[in-house]
Amino acid sequence: MIMLKNNCILSRFNTSVFLLVVVLISSCTFFKPNKKPESIARVGKNYLYKQDIATLVPTGTSKEDSILLVHDFIDRWASQKLLIDAAERNISESKEREFNSLLKQYKVDLYTKAYLEDVVKRTVDTAISLEELQRYYKENKENFKTNGPLVRLRYVNLLKDNPRFSTIRSKFFDYSKKDKKFWDTYTMQCKSFALNDTVWVDMSQVYVKLPVVNPENRDDIIQAGKKSEIQDKENVYLIKVTNVIGKNQISPFEYIKPTLKEVLLNKRKLELIKKFEKEITDDAIKNKDYEIY
């Protein structure tokens, strides 16, 4: 009986010691001050911390440039804080209510837009068949008029003194796909070239690629079936125009195809968003989360 009593006392002693150790450890942790971030500037109650500029200076920047970057950043930060403090003190109550309303609406718009974009990204089918594109083009081609002339042409730009100029000129104006090996070799001698005359381009691209063509002489050179040989001080340009479409004409299908795809894709996205908005509203009504009183 005495032994049992001693064991009970010992047990209570061990428990007390254990609790005391726990309390001491907890106290040490509680009273240990948390490491505060190092502040580098203050405006009123606003602090700028060292960690806020940790990635400001690019690697390899000189010490002088680094100092200038940091000082400029701190000055801009301080100016913004001072301005917003002054604005909040001096703005009228009506303007404050207006701005708070705008901020709330902006948050709603920002969140819903991000959410819907994520839903669309995960759900919408981005594959659009050629048949869909052609059908949409046929039904809506009057809506796709040219903003300016479109051209199909081929050209080469080479030095006047090229030793194979006569051969290149002959092959160019009597162009044949059978001459592929010839052109694989001799286009390397050209300063620039484009031999695919099945692609429609607008005149702005022609002006860039062919500086000898300008708005003044365009109508003389850019004519369907026209062959031209134009020289400047060092170069000679050989040009063969295959076809031309004027301004305010229906755009060719191949030229407008990327735009058609974008239009159809946006159409699908809008339809998906409308469907999603309806479904989420219907579910809320069904679950009694949405009621009109």
Side-chain angles (χ1 to χ4, degrees):
M1 188 68 179
I2 294 172
M3 186 178 293
L4 180 60
K5 184 177 180 181
N6 288 338
N7 286 339
C8 290
I9 293 171
L10 183 60
S11 176
R12 284 198 299 272
F13 175 77
N14 288 338
T15 301
S16 300
V17 171
F18 174 75
L19 290 173
L20 179 61
V21 171
V22 170
V23 169
L24 286 173
I25 292 173
S26 300
S27 299
C28 291
T29 305
F30 180 78
F31 288 110
K32 184 179 179 181
N34 291 327
K35 187 177 180 181
K36 293 182 179 179
E38 185 179 348
S39 59
I40 57 175
R42 180 186 66 82
V43 172
K45 295 181 180 180
N46 301 293
Y47 287 85
L48 182 67
Y49 296 102
K50 192 173 182 179
Q51 64 192 35
D52 296 327
I53 63 167
T55 59
L56 177 65
V57 179
T59 304
T61 306
S62 67
K63 182 179 179 181
E64 292 78 10
D65 289 341
S66 299
I67 292 171
L68 287 173
L69 278 171
V70 172
H71 279 189
D72 186 52
F73 180 86
I74 293 172
D75 286 343
R76 290 199 310 274
W77 173 84
S79 296
Q80 289 176 348
K81 293 299 180 186
L82 291 167
L83 283 170
I84 190 65
D85 287 346
E88 288 177 343
R89 287 195 306 270
N90 293 284
I91 197 169
S92 66
E93 290 185 7
S94 60
K95 276 292 182 184
E96 185 176 4
R97 287 194 298 270
E98 179 186 347
F99 291 159
N100 285 336
S101 177
L102 289 171
L103 285 170
K104 288 179 181 178
Q105 187 58 49
Y106 177 71
K107 180 180 179 181
V108 170
D109 294 341
L110 192 66
Y111 275 59
T112 54
K113 182 183 177 185
Y115 178 54
L116 288 172
E117 283 178 352
D118 184 59
V119 170
V120 167
K121 186 178 179 180
R122 289 185 284 105
T123 311
V124 73
D125 182 7
T126 58
I128 300 175
S129 68
L130 180 62
E131 291 74 16
E132 287 179 273
L133 291 172
Q134 289 174 333
R135 183 169 59 252
Y136 189 81
Y137 174 74
K138 186 177 180 180
E139 294 171 354
N140 299 278
K141 59 184 178 181
E142 290 293 334
N143 297 327
F144 299 102
K145 299 288 185 71
T146 57
N147 294 321
L150 298 179
V151 187
R152 284 168 51 193
L153 56 73
R154 63 178 183 269
Y155 78 90
V156 293
N157 170 19
L158 62 160
L159 293 172
K160 288 180 182 179
D161 57 0
N162 188 295
R164 298 298 302 272
F165 175 73
S166 296
T167 304
I168 292 172
R169 183 183 186 281
S170 175
K171 291 284 188 183
F172 177 81
F173 287 124
D174 296 322
Y175 186 80
S176 172
K177 291 182 179 179
K178 295 177 182 178
D179 296 328
K180 184 179 182 302
K181 287 185 178 180
F182 172 86
W183 289 112
D184 286 345
T185 301
Y186 286 97
T187 48
M188 300 295 291
Q189 299 179 18
C190 297
K191 297 181 74 174
S192 63
F193 66 92
L195 299 175
N196 184 1
D197 57 4
T198 64
V199 177
W200 290 98
V201 296
D202 60 43
M203 282 305 304
S204 62
Q205 292 176 276
V206 175
Y207 294 146
V208 171
K209 298 294 184 181
L210 299 172
V212 292
V213 179
N214 55 60
E216 286 71 34
N217 65 15
R218 181 190 72 190
D219 293 339
D220 293 331
I221 300 171
I222 307 300
Q223 300 178 32
K226 181 77 178 282
K227 298 177 182 179
S228 301
E229 181 179 329
I230 307 173
Q231 297 184 7
D232 59 18
K233 291 181 180 180
E234 298 180 351
N235 308 300
V236 58
Y237 293 84
L238 304 177
I239 307 168
K240 170 65 189 297
V241 179
T242 305
N243 207 347
V244 181
I245 292 177
K247 185 178 180 179
N248 291 324
Q249 302 299 309
I250 294 172
S251 297
F253 173 74
E254 288 300 326
Y255 179 77
I256 206 72
K257 188 161 72 170
T259 303
L260 294 172
K261 184 174 181 180
E262 197 64 32
V263 168
L264 284 174
L265 194 56
N266 286 334
K267 192 167 177 281
R268 282 186 187 177
K269 289 177 180 178
L270 288 173
E271 289 172 352
L272 180 63
I273 288 171
K274 286 182 180 178
K275 181 183 177 184
F276 181 74
E277 288 175 341
K278 185 177 184 306
E279 287 177 351
I280 201 170
T281 303
D282 290 345
D283 286 345
I285 293 171
K286 182 180 178 181
N287 297 328
K288 299 189 183 303
D289 292 327
Y290 171 38
E291 296 176 336
I292 298 177
Y293 301 110

